[in-house]
Amino acid sequence: MPADASDKRFANTLARGLTILRAFRPTDDGLGNLEISERTGIPRPTVSRLTFTLCALGYLTHGRRHDKYRLGPAALALGNIAAASFAFVEIASPVMQRLADETGTLTAISIKDDQRMLLTRAWRPVNSSAIWLDVGYRMPLHTSSSGKAYLGALNDEEFARFLESQGDEPAELLAEFAAIRLAAHNEILADGYTQVRA
């Protein structure tokens, strides 16, 4: 849970419902209550009540009695609205595709999503037959290149807020984040992506 989960304005039931929606991955062929419970850490009886409610509201679909849950039309509508707010992605598309073709690598735009980096758009080199990551894939923050780039781009104030958001994470992990941030920041400077202002 976020660091402000103890705030009396924080709606735990809503947070749990949204956590269930976030448990789904692009590669899933549906999830049962037990799988959702294991992924989220939410007790199975609570998951059962929340999936029933999310189905009733159209955020999940559920076919036959023993069928698994899948994201529903209401979740799709939210996704489309969210995608529209990232109009810069389409503007960047020709440049990103050219970069992918010239380097022969996957190029992507990722955003921080809770404690991971969410792949929001990817461009593959033309005629590439390799297997690549798909949109919606969540990468670990401290071990992925996009996560390291994110940490390296944070200024001191932003990084302090990031550390606050980690809640009760062990001191070793917080120190690891600090080391990753410093190394990534130095690499960003060395490669000329930004410069230090006097």
Side-chain angles (χ1 to χ4, degrees), residues 25-186:
R25 301 169 186 156
T27 53
D28 289 332
D29 184 25
L31 295 176
N33 283 333
L34 178 59
E35 293 167 294
I36 293 171
S37 178
E38 289 170 349
R39 284 192 185 179
T40 62
I42 299 171
R44 192 172 176 185
T46 304
V47 166
S48 180
R49 290 193 305 274
L50 290 171
T51 52
F52 176 85
T53 304
L54 289 167
C55 275
L57 296 173
Y59 290 98
L60 293 179
T61 60
H62 188 252
R64 299 170 301 281
R65 181 177 177 185
H66 297 293
D67 196 13
K68 296 186 175 184
Y69 294 96
R70 291 170 178 80
L71 291 178
L76 177 63
L78 276 182
N80 287 334
I81 293 167
S85 68
F86 290 94
F88 70 90
V89 173
E90 286 308 314
I91 296 169
S93 190
V95 175
M96 297 296 281
Q97 185 61 60
R98 189 165 61 249
L99 180 61
D101 294 340
E102 291 175 359
T103 61
T105 59
L106 175 80
T107 60
I109 294 178
S110 302
I111 58 172
K112 184 176 176 291
D113 179 37
D114 196 22
Q115 303 306 315
R116 294 185 173 269
M117 297 301 293
L118 175 69
L119 188 64
T120 58
R121 179 73 188 271
W123 294 265
R124 296 164 176 79
V126 172
N127 300 325
S128 172
S129 58
I131 297 174
W132 304 90
L133 300 178
D134 289 319
V135 170
Y137 183 78
R138 288 183 172 88
M139 299 163 282
L141 187 64
H142 63 298
T143 58
S144 65
S145 57
S146 59
K148 290 176 181 179
Y150 168 80
L151 290 172
L154 296 178
N155 63 34
D156 291 343
E157 184 180 328
E158 291 166 338
F159 186 63
R161 283 199 304 269
F162 166 78
L163 290 179
E164 272 182 37
S165 75
Q166 298 308 297
D168 297 327
E169 291 290 354
E172 297 81 17
L173 181 59
L174 300 182
E176 185 180 351
F177 281 137
I180 290 169
R181 177 197 176 221
L182 179 61
H185 181 72
N186 289 337

